[in-house]
Amino acid sequence: PLPAPYRVPLPIPAVARPTGTLGGADLYEITQRTADVEIIPGLRTTIWGYDGTFPGPTFETWSGRPVVVRHTNRLPVPTVVHLHGGHTPSDSDGWPLDLVLPVGDTSNWAHVHNGVPMVGNTIAGTREHHYPMSQRAATLWYHDHRMDFTAPNVYRGLAGMHLVRDDVEDALGLPAGDHELPLFVCDRAFAADGSFDYPSLDRTLRTVPGVEDRYMSGVLGDVVLVNGAPWPVHEVDGTRYRLRIVNGSNARRYSFALRVPGGPDLPFTQVGSDGGLLAAPVRQTALDAAPGERFDVVVDFAAVPVGTEVTMVNTLGTGSTADVVRFHVVRAARDDSRVPARLADDVAPLVPGPVVREFAFGRGAVGDTRGWTINGHAFDPNSSLADIPLGQVETWRFRSDVHHPVHVHLDPFQVLARDGKPPRPTDVGWKDTVDVLPAEIVDVAVRFTDLAGRYVFHCHNLEHEDMAMMATIRTV
Ligand code: C2O
Ligand code: CU
């Protein structure tokens, strides 16, 4: 039986602290390891976590201040770390074959795929990721990106948040401190003994990738976790709060709304999207969030009487997945925060040049089995699907068969149109993941700025990604 919702307090992940400096950068050291934790009350769950926590520690870094994160792998399988939304040099970006082998593991993990050797920069035990943080303030997250096994690795807990801050955002006076809450939302299924119930073909995650055939469309759980706790509850003041929402689910899409008993829903004032602040706040009654997307919103709990329970629900869910998190307004308090009418000056619309590239996301052959492809191709790390000149604004046209949340590494884009019509309200601002609906054509304006190298773009339904819906691009 599932636990009753809104009993467990909302956990706030620890904030990562630098352990020193390295070449002028702040050095952080993270150990990837297993831990036994209580997620479902009364049961133990073995997680794979950054520093043994799920979600991992939250990074809070400053724009323009470089960071090195030294990851040590004490898990039983290779791992790869990607900073999602990071403007990161190629060799630190988490190329799916840049494996970090478990400490002390000498087995041969060379990856052979459909008979073709796939070579990456495999390293033993520890890798240093160099992040220049030359990007605006934004809600990023980091997670595993291991070739063919991203979905089960993330499912076991390898994900965390990374907030980039800067002077522009700092000067706005948005709610801060205890009134700023990270909300990492993901769904999981649990076996009766408390373990994560993920339908891998090979539960050791060592050799055979993929999931049972009936999970082709993605793995959904019946428990919604926020910051790793099932349907938690949080006591809030009757003031504004800033919520940093990440959809870290493998395959679940949500539409979030704030229910008030006996009253109209509370609105979200959206101040930022994947790539940081919007030009101006946008009032949203619902937030449609596909896997990988982030929403930075302000909610004003002063709009309801003290004592009110405001519930963030998922209107796309049924039964247990319609519940998400509850805020219990317990006291009136003074509020010095504000949401200025103007937020940022660097969100001018991109004007695309003549280049239009089409990418069709659909089912297809992956070797001699079935999987997911882009323009009919299964992921090929050895050849680039497109070489993109730096500095050029292009139109990329994504076509879908079913839902595909498309994510591009390295630099954010802007959504231009859906089926030739204006994008939806939640497509606003700098995005790096766009929810492409079934049989839809989404046009985005893409521009890579200054880092040349090899990157990927892919579907962020992690089962689709593992089943080859990923492509290599080179920025040149
Ligand atoms: Cu969040 Cu390539 O992924
Ligand atoms: Cu997909």
Side-chain angles (χ1 to χ4, degrees):
L2 297 172
Y6 314 128
R7 301 282 165 82
V8 179
L10 175 75
I12 304 296
V15 173
R17 299 281 169 217
T19 56
T21 58
L22 189 75
D26 293 323
L27 173 67
Y28 294 79
E29 294 174 277
I30 298 285
T31 302
Q32 303 171 12
R33 58 180 178 83
T34 64
D36 282 329
V37 301
E38 182 175 297
I39 297 174
I40 303 296
L43 293 176
R44 306 303 291 178
T45 305
T46 302
I47 60 142
W48 291 2
Y50 296 113
D51 280 353
T53 64
F54 166 50
T58 301
F59 285 79
E60 293 194 27
T61 60
W62 201 260
S63 175
R65 189 179 165 101
V67 160
V68 174
V69 185
R70 183 182 286 158
H71 277 275
T72 298
N73 178 6
R74 296 195 175 276
L75 292 166
V77 299
T79 59
V80 173
V81 185
H82 170 59
L83 175 58
H84 181 132
H87 181 66
T88 306
S90 175
D91 56 0
S92 282
D93 191 51
W95 179 252
L97 286 154
D98 285 353
L99 305 179
V100 180
L101 304 187
V103 169
D105 187 323
T106 53
S107 42
N108 179 15
W109 291 93
H111 208 102
V112 177
H113 203 90
N114 307 323
V116 184
M118 296 191 167
V119 184
N121 172 23
T122 294
I123 204 167
T126 297
R127 184 187 302 281
E128 284 171 1
H129 291 259
H130 293 254
Y131 300 123
M133 306 319 309
S134 53
Q135 57 188 106
R136 58 207 297 269
T139 311
L140 313 186
W141 62 301
Y142 63 107
H143 60 77
D144 193 80
H145 218 296
R146 174 189 169 202
M147 180 73 182
D148 289 342
F149 292 94
T150 290
N153 278 11
V154 171
Y155 205 86
R156 291 177 186 212
L158 290 172
M161 290 179 67
H162 183 135
L163 306 176
V164 187
R165 304 193 184 277
D166 67 14
D167 293 326
V168 175
E169 181 201 75
D170 215 34
L172 295 176
L174 297 172
D178 289 349
H179 290 187
E180 181 188 28
L181 299 173
L183 297 178
F184 185 90
V185 182
C186 61
D187 61 329
R188 293 291 185 268
F190 292 84
D193 65 357
S195 61
F196 288 129
D197 193 7
Y198 187 87
S200 293
L201 292 174
D202 168 10
R203 298 223 173 189
T204 68
L205 309 189
R206 293 183 71 87
T207 49
V208 185
V211 288
E212 298 161 18
D213 227 29
R214 62 203 167 98
Y215 293 97
M216 185 86 178
S217 58
V219 173
L220 301 174
D222 55 356
V223 177
V224 178
L225 303 178
V226 181
N227 297 346
W231 310 287
V233 58
H234 190 65
E235 292 189 347
V236 295
D237 295 340
T239 62
R240 289 184 202 87
Y241 275 70
R242 183 177 183 189
L243 310 180
R244 316 291 296 258
I245 303 170
V246 176
N247 181 358
S249 306
N250 281 31
R252 182 174 294 282
R253 301 168 59 255
Y254 302 80
S255 184
F256 298 120
L258 291 170
R259 294 281 192 256
V260 176
D265 287 1
L266 274 186
F268 300 97
T269 301
Q270 188 182 354
V271 295
S273 55
D274 303 343
L277 292 172
L278 308 180
V282 177
R283 183 188 161 100
Q284 309 276 13
T285 51
L287 301 175
D288 293 334
E293 288 190 289
R294 287 89 71 206
F295 291 94
D296 186 354
V297 297
V298 173
V299 172
D300 191 359
F301 293 112
V304 296
V306 168
T308 304
E309 293 180 323
V310 179
T311 305
M312 189 163 108
V313 298
N314 167 29
T315 60
L316 298 181
T318 51
S320 64
T321 59
D323 285 298
V324 182
V325 59
R326 177 167 287 171
F327 302 98
H328 187 193
V329 184
V330 292
R331 66 185 85 77
R334 169 194 160 104
D335 191 354
D336 296 323
S337 73
R338 46 191 208 111
V339 181
R342 188 86 211 147
L343 298 169
D345 295 327
D346 51 354
V347 201
L350 290 176
V351 180
V355 177
V356 178
R357 298 180 201 266
E358 290 216 7
F359 299 106
F361 289 73
R363 282 201 180 199
V366 176
D368 44 22
T369 117
R370 254 157 35 104
W372 297 96
T373 59
I374 302 176
N375 288 352
H377 301 289
F379 178 48
D380 183 351
N382 298 328
S383 87
S384 167
L385 193 60
D387 288 356
I388 322 289
L390 292 170
Q392 171 171 302
V393 183
E394 304 184 343
T395 300
W396 288 16
R397 175 162 293 169
F398 302 135
R399 291 172 181 275
S400 61
D401 55 353
V402 297
H403 275 287
H404 298 292
V406 176
H407 169 49
V408 181
H409 283 212
L410 182 60
D411 281 311
F413 53 74
Q414 294 174 358
V415 183
L416 298 170
R418 288 182 179 268
D419 283 335
K421 295 190 282 289
R424 58 189 199 193
T426 47
D427 291 330
V428 66
W430 287 108
K431 297 284 294 168
D432 59 45
T433 307
V434 63
D435 184 19
V436 184
L437 306 181
E440 194 180 34
I441 299 172
V442 175
D443 289 342
V444 303
V446 172
R447 180 200 53 189
F448 297 105
T449 53
D450 59 355
L451 293 175
R454 183 178 62 168
Y455 292 93
V456 289
F457 74 103
H458 58 87
C459 179
H460 218 289
N461 176 313
L462 297 184
E463 282 74 34
H464 294 189
E465 178 183 340
D466 280 352
M467 286 186 270
M469 193 170 251
M470 178 148 61
T472 303
I473 50 172
R474 283 193 314 185
T475 51
V476 295

